Amino acid sequence: MIHLTTKQVLQFVDGTLDYASQAQCTNHLAVCAQCRSEVEFQKTLAKVSRRQPTVQPSGQFASRVMGRVFPQKRKTVASTILDNLGNVFAMFVVLTVVGYAIANPSLFTPQDRPAQPSVLSQTIAATYGKIVQSFAERTKDATQTVVSTSTNDSSRVISMTIMTLLILIVLDQFVLKRYTGMKMKH
Amino acid sequence: MQDQDFAIIQRVIGGEKKAYAELVDRHKEKAMTLAFKMLKNREDAEEALQDAFIRAFNALPRFEWKSSFSTWFYRIVFNVCASALSKRGNDHPVSFQANDEEETALEVASQEPLPDIALESSELSTIVFEEIEKLPEAYGPTFTLFFVQDMTYEEIVQVTGLPLGTVKTRLFRARALLRDAVVKRIGSSQEGTRQEKVA
């Protein structure tokens, strides 16, 4: 009996024989135990070979690739200042408004009618007044001027400051960051 | 698999560059196995793989989907590793070029009879894995692409650039060598056990 060649066995296992050769091999395998066991053995080898352990790259491999794809640019002093320009500007605006309001309390008092602060601003002003007063008592310095400001004036100043801060936060979070994010993508 | 690659690549090309990390995670393991099989050194393989991923990222906008992403990417890995090998010079003379390889040995039936083996045993797996490592270097990439990457002959041709006949011959020869080596190992192991029992 002529047995299947190694090549025929492997092609039979892979299913890459043409139709006629496949039929011929199938007929032979039906009557030849030796070739049948050879086919089974090659099937097993193929199955085990597919399970061979793969080699893992070391930890954080993807991060390292991404680090090389997008290398971090070293920040210059100028770029650091530019990056923080928004914060510096916000601080400047807040301090200017607060300072101006403290220095000129009369500007925030309506001339035609007496001020009628809301409950919330009254509460905030009272708390703020207490804090400033206790601080002034301890230091006894120029902050005495602030204490002397009326409660109504203080509440307006605080309300304005809070409003300014809120506007700046909204501007920073939802407008500037969004804009710069879009710029980065392009 | 390919659909997921396609979706990720669309996101990367669309501007979501960070999504490329997902693609790296999906292919790093099998690609590393191929690189390691070719370079036989973990550090070199990892360096080559990083280079391959960077090249693939830069070339991604020009990828035309004429093949699957994995086939295209493994071609890059293969080329990077092949050039790394050529840089090594004569210290590691490995040729992945096509040459006239004999097929006559495959045209005859195996002479060595099969021993009585317990298939699927963990011992068999260990022997097979060890013998795979001992296969000639030129057969390693073809064998890995076929069994680990689960590629067809035609895909291996695209990756390695070898003629179809050479790919088939290398694969058949590697499997014939593996078969004989495993049979020999099992035979000698059984002979040893028999002698122990007699003693």
Short mmCIF file of all heavy atoms in Angstrom, two decimals, chain A residues 3-38:
data_model
loop_
_atom_site.label_atom_id
_atom_site.label_comp_id
_atom_site.label_asym_id
_atom_site.label_seq_id
_atom_site.Cartn_x
_atom_site.Cartn_y
_atom_site.Cartn_z
N HIS A 3 1.51 4.85 1.06
CA HIS A 3 1.00 5.77 2.10
C HIS A 3 1.01 7.22 1.62
O HIS A 3 1.68 7.57 0.64
CB HIS A 3 1.84 5.63 3.36
CG HIS A 3 1.69 4.29 4.01
ND1 HIS A 3 0.50 3.86 4.56
CD2 HIS A 3 2.58 3.28 4.19
CE1 HIS A 3 0.67 2.65 5.05
NE2 HIS A 3 1.93 2.27 4.83
N LEU A 4 0.29 8.04 2.34
CA LEU A 4 0.27 9.48 2.04
C LEU A 4 1.63 10.08 2.33
O LEU A 4 2.30 9.67 3.29
CB LEU A 4 -0.78 10.20 2.88
CG LEU A 4 -2.24 9.79 2.71
CD1 LEU A 4 -3.13 10.62 3.63
CD2 LEU A 4 -2.69 9.97 1.26
N THR A 5 2.05 11.04 1.53
CA THR A 5 3.32 11.71 1.79
C THR A 5 3.10 12.73 2.93
O THR A 5 1.95 13.10 3.24
CB THR A 5 3.82 12.48 0.55
OG1 THR A 5 2.87 13.51 0.27
CG2 THR A 5 3.99 11.57 -0.64
N THR A 6 4.20 13.21 3.50
CA THR A 6 4.12 14.21 4.58
C THR A 6 3.36 15.44 4.08
O THR A 6 2.52 16.00 4.80
CB THR A 6 5.55 14.61 5.01
OG1 THR A 6 6.23 13.44 5.42
CG2 THR A 6 5.52 15.60 6.17
N LYS A 7 3.67 15.85 2.86
CA LYS A 7 3.03 17.04 2.30
C LYS A 7 1.51 16.83 2.18
O LYS A 7 0.73 17.73 2.52
CB LYS A 7 3.63 17.32 0.92
CG LYS A 7 3.25 18.67 0.36
CD LYS A 7 3.95 18.90 -0.96
CE LYS A 7 3.46 20.17 -1.63
NZ LYS A 7 4.11 20.37 -2.94
N GLN A 8 1.13 15.65 1.71
CA GLN A 8 -0.31 15.35 1.57
C GLN A 8 -1.01 15.36 2.92
O GLN A 8 -2.12 15.88 3.06
CB GLN A 8 -0.51 13.99 0.89
CG GLN A 8 -0.30 14.02 -0.61
CD GLN A 8 -0.38 12.64 -1.22
OE1 GLN A 8 0.21 11.68 -0.69
NE2 GLN A 8 -1.10 12.52 -2.32
N VAL A 9 -0.32 14.78 3.92
CA VAL A 9 -0.89 14.74 5.27
C VAL A 9 -1.14 16.16 5.78
O VAL A 9 -2.22 16.49 6.27
CB VAL A 9 0.03 13.96 6.24
CG1 VAL A 9 -0.41 14.15 7.69
CG2 VAL A 9 0.06 12.48 5.89
N LEU A 10 -0.11 17.01 5.61
CA LEU A 10 -0.22 18.38 6.11
C LEU A 10 -1.28 19.18 5.35
O LEU A 10 -2.04 19.95 5.95
CB LEU A 10 1.14 19.09 6.02
CG LEU A 10 2.22 18.55 6.96
CD1 LEU A 10 3.58 19.14 6.65
CD2 LEU A 10 1.85 18.83 8.41
N GLN A 11 -1.32 19.00 4.07
CA GLN A 11 -2.33 19.71 3.27
C GLN A 11 -3.74 19.22 3.62
O GLN A 11 -4.68 20.00 3.63
CB GLN A 11 -2.06 19.52 1.77
CG GLN A 11 -0.89 20.36 1.27
CD GLN A 11 -0.65 20.19 -0.21
OE1 GLN A 11 -0.58 19.08 -0.72
NE2 GLN A 11 -0.49 21.30 -0.91
N PHE A 12 -3.83 17.91 3.90
CA PHE A 12 -5.13 17.37 4.30
C PHE A 12 -5.56 17.98 5.64
O PHE A 12 -6.71 18.39 5.82
CB PHE A 12 -5.04 15.83 4.42
CG PHE A 12 -6.36 15.19 4.75
CD1 PHE A 12 -7.29 14.94 3.76
CD2 PHE A 12 -6.68 14.87 6.08
CE1 PHE A 12 -8.52 14.37 4.07
CE2 PHE A 12 -7.91 14.30 6.39
CZ PHE A 12 -8.83 14.04 5.39
N VAL A 13 -4.61 18.08 6.58
CA VAL A 13 -4.89 18.66 7.90
C VAL A 13 -5.31 20.13 7.75
O VAL A 13 -6.25 20.59 8.40
CB VAL A 13 -3.64 18.54 8.83
CG1 VAL A 13 -3.81 19.35 10.11
CG2 VAL A 13 -3.39 17.08 9.18
N ASP A 14 -4.62 20.85 6.85
CA ASP A 14 -4.94 22.28 6.65
C ASP A 14 -6.19 22.49 5.80
O ASP A 14 -6.71 23.61 5.75
CB ASP A 14 -3.76 22.99 5.97
CG ASP A 14 -2.52 23.05 6.85
OD1 ASP A 14 -2.66 22.80 8.06
OD2 ASP A 14 -1.43 23.32 6.33
N GLY A 15 -6.60 21.44 5.12
CA GLY A 15 -7.77 21.57 4.23
C GLY A 15 -7.45 22.38 2.99
O GLY A 15 -8.30 23.11 2.48
N THR A 16 -6.20 22.27 2.52
CA THR A 16 -5.81 23.06 1.34
C THR A 16 -5.65 22.21 0.08
O THR A 16 -5.15 22.70 -0.92
CB THR A 16 -4.48 23.81 1.62
OG1 THR A 16 -3.51 22.85 2.06
CG2 THR A 16 -4.65 24.89 2.67
N LEU A 17 -6.08 20.96 0.14
CA LEU A 17 -6.00 20.11 -1.06
C LEU A 17 -7.15 20.44 -2.00
O LEU A 17 -8.21 20.90 -1.55
CB LEU A 17 -6.11 18.64 -0.65
CG LEU A 17 -4.88 17.98 -0.01
CD1 LEU A 17 -5.28 16.62 0.56
CD2 LEU A 17 -3.76 17.81 -1.02
N ASP A 18 -6.92 20.21 -3.28
CA ASP A 18 -8.05 20.40 -4.21
C ASP A 18 -9.05 19.27 -4.02
O ASP A 18 -8.77 18.27 -3.34
CB ASP A 18 -7.54 20.49 -5.66
CG ASP A 18 -6.81 19.23 -6.08
OD1 ASP A 18 -7.45 18.18 -6.17
OD2 ASP A 18 -5.57 19.30 -6.28
N TYR A 19 -10.19 19.43 -4.62
CA TYR A 19 -11.31 18.50 -4.36
C TYR A 19 -10.93 17.04 -4.65
O TYR A 19 -11.20 16.14 -3.84
CB TYR A 19 -12.53 18.92 -5.20
CG TYR A 19 -13.75 18.08 -4.95
CD1 TYR A 19 -14.52 18.26 -3.81
CD2 TYR A 19 -14.12 17.08 -5.86
CE1 TYR A 19 -15.63 17.47 -3.57
CE2 TYR A 19 -15.24 16.28 -5.63
CZ TYR A 19 -15.99 16.49 -4.48
OH TYR A 19 -17.08 15.70 -4.25
N ALA A 20 -10.29 16.82 -5.82
CA ALA A 20 -9.95 15.45 -6.23
C ALA A 20 -8.95 14.81 -5.26
O ALA A 20 -9.13 13.66 -4.82
CB ALA A 20 -9.37 15.46 -7.64
N SER A 21 -7.91 15.58 -4.90
CA SER A 21 -6.88 15.05 -3.99
C SER A 21 -7.47 14.80 -2.60
O SER A 21 -7.11 13.81 -1.93
CB SER A 21 -5.72 16.03 -3.86
OG SER A 21 -5.24 16.37 -5.12
N GLN A 22 -8.37 15.67 -2.19
CA GLN A 22 -9.03 15.53 -0.88
C GLN A 22 -9.81 14.21 -0.83
O GLN A 22 -9.71 13.44 0.13
CB GLN A 22 -9.98 16.72 -0.66
CG GLN A 22 -10.69 16.76 0.67
CD GLN A 22 -9.83 17.37 1.78
OE1 GLN A 22 -8.80 17.98 1.51
NE2 GLN A 22 -10.24 17.16 3.01
N ALA A 23 -10.53 13.92 -1.91
CA ALA A 23 -11.33 12.70 -1.99
C ALA A 23 -10.42 11.47 -1.98
O ALA A 23 -10.69 10.48 -1.30
CB ALA A 23 -12.19 12.73 -3.24
N GLN A 24 -9.32 11.59 -2.72
CA GLN A 24 -8.35 10.48 -2.80
C GLN A 24 -7.77 10.18 -1.42
O GLN A 24 -7.69 9.00 -1.02
CB GLN A 24 -7.23 10.92 -3.75
CG GLN A 24 -6.49 9.78 -4.41
CD GLN A 24 -5.39 10.32 -5.34
OE1 GLN A 24 -5.37 11.51 -5.69
NE2 GLN A 24 -4.49 9.44 -5.71
N CYS A 25 -7.40 11.22 -0.71
CA CYS A 25 -6.84 11.05 0.65
C CYS A 25 -7.89 10.46 1.60
O CYS A 25 -7.57 9.58 2.41
CB CYS A 25 -6.36 12.39 1.20
SG CYS A 25 -4.81 12.93 0.49
N THR A 26 -9.10 10.97 1.51
CA THR A 26 -10.18 10.48 2.38
C THR A 26 -10.38 8.98 2.17
O THR A 26 -10.52 8.21 3.14
CB THR A 26 -11.49 11.25 2.12
OG1 THR A 26 -11.20 12.64 2.18
CG2 THR A 26 -12.56 10.91 3.14
N ASN A 27 -10.36 8.56 0.90
CA ASN A 27 -10.53 7.13 0.59
C ASN A 27 -9.38 6.31 1.18
O ASN A 27 -9.60 5.24 1.73
CB ASN A 27 -10.57 6.93 -0.94
CG ASN A 27 -11.85 7.46 -1.52
OD1 ASN A 27 -12.86 7.61 -0.81
ND2 ASN A 27 -11.85 7.78 -2.81
N HIS A 28 -8.17 6.86 1.05
CA HIS A 28 -7.01 6.13 1.57
C HIS A 28 -7.08 6.04 3.11
O HIS A 28 -6.83 4.97 3.67
CB HIS A 28 -5.72 6.83 1.15
CG HIS A 28 -4.49 6.20 1.73
ND1 HIS A 28 -3.97 5.00 1.25
CD2 HIS A 28 -3.70 6.56 2.78
CE1 HIS A 28 -2.91 4.66 1.98
NE2 HIS A 28 -2.72 5.60 2.92
N LEU A 29 -7.45 7.14 3.73
CA LEU A 29 -7.50 7.15 5.20
C LEU A 29 -8.55 6.17 5.74
O LEU A 29 -8.41 5.67 6.85
CB LEU A 29 -7.80 8.58 5.71
CG LEU A 29 -6.66 9.58 5.53
CD1 LEU A 29 -7.13 10.99 5.83
CD2 LEU A 29 -5.47 9.23 6.41
N ALA A 30 -9.56 5.90 4.94
CA ALA A 30 -10.61 4.98 5.38
C ALA A 30 -10.06 3.56 5.54
O ALA A 30 -10.60 2.77 6.34
CB ALA A 30 -11.76 5.00 4.38
N VAL A 31 -8.99 3.25 4.81
CA VAL A 31 -8.46 1.88 4.86
C VAL A 31 -7.06 1.78 5.47
O VAL A 31 -6.55 0.68 5.64
CB VAL A 31 -8.44 1.26 3.44
CG1 VAL A 31 -9.85 1.06 2.90
CG2 VAL A 31 -7.60 2.10 2.47
N CYS A 32 -6.42 2.92 5.78
CA CYS A 32 -5.04 2.89 6.28
C CYS A 32 -4.93 3.48 7.69
O CYS A 32 -4.99 4.69 7.87
CB CYS A 32 -4.11 3.63 5.32
SG CYS A 32 -2.39 3.63 5.87
N ALA A 33 -4.75 2.62 8.65
CA ALA A 33 -4.67 3.06 10.06
C ALA A 33 -3.42 3.88 10.31
O ALA A 33 -3.44 4.85 11.10
CB ALA A 33 -4.70 1.85 10.97
N GLN A 34 -2.32 3.52 9.63
CA GLN A 34 -1.04 4.22 9.85
C GLN A 34 -1.16 5.69 9.41
O GLN A 34 -0.76 6.60 10.15
CB GLN A 34 0.06 3.53 9.05
CG GLN A 34 1.46 4.04 9.40
CD GLN A 34 2.55 3.39 8.55
OE1 GLN A 34 2.47 2.20 8.24
NE2 GLN A 34 3.54 4.17 8.18
N CYS A 35 -1.73 5.91 8.24
CA CYS A 35 -1.89 7.30 7.76
C CYS A 35 -2.93 8.05 8.59
O CYS A 35 -2.81 9.26 8.80
CB CYS A 35 -2.29 7.31 6.28
SG CYS A 35 -0.91 6.89 5.20
N ARG A 36 -3.93 7.29 9.06
CA ARG A 36 -4.97 7.92 9.91
C ARG A 36 -4.33 8.46 11.20
O ARG A 36 -4.60 9.59 11.61
CB ARG A 36 -6.05 6.89 10.24
CG ARG A 36 -7.42 7.41 9.93
CD ARG A 36 -8.58 6.47 10.13
NE ARG A 36 -8.38 5.23 10.81
CZ ARG A 36 -8.46 4.03 10.22
NH1 ARG A 36 -8.72 3.93 8.92
NH2 ARG A 36 -8.29 2.92 10.90
N SER A 37 -3.47 7.63 11.80
CA SER A 37 -2.83 8.09 13.05
C SER A 37 -1.87 9.24 12.78
O SER A 37 -1.70 10.15 13.60
CB SER A 37 -2.14 6.93 13.78
OG SER A 37 -1.09 6.44 12.98
N GLU A 38 -1.25 9.21 11.57
CA GLU A 38 -0.35 10.30 11.18
C GLU A 38 -1.14 11.61 11.06
O GLU A 38 -0.69 12.66 11.56
CB GLU A 38 0.30 9.93 9.82
CG GLU A 38 1.48 10.79 9.44
CD GLU A 38 2.68 10.61 10.34
OE1 GLU A 38 3.04 9.49 10.69
OE2 GLU A 38 3.25 11.66 10.73
#
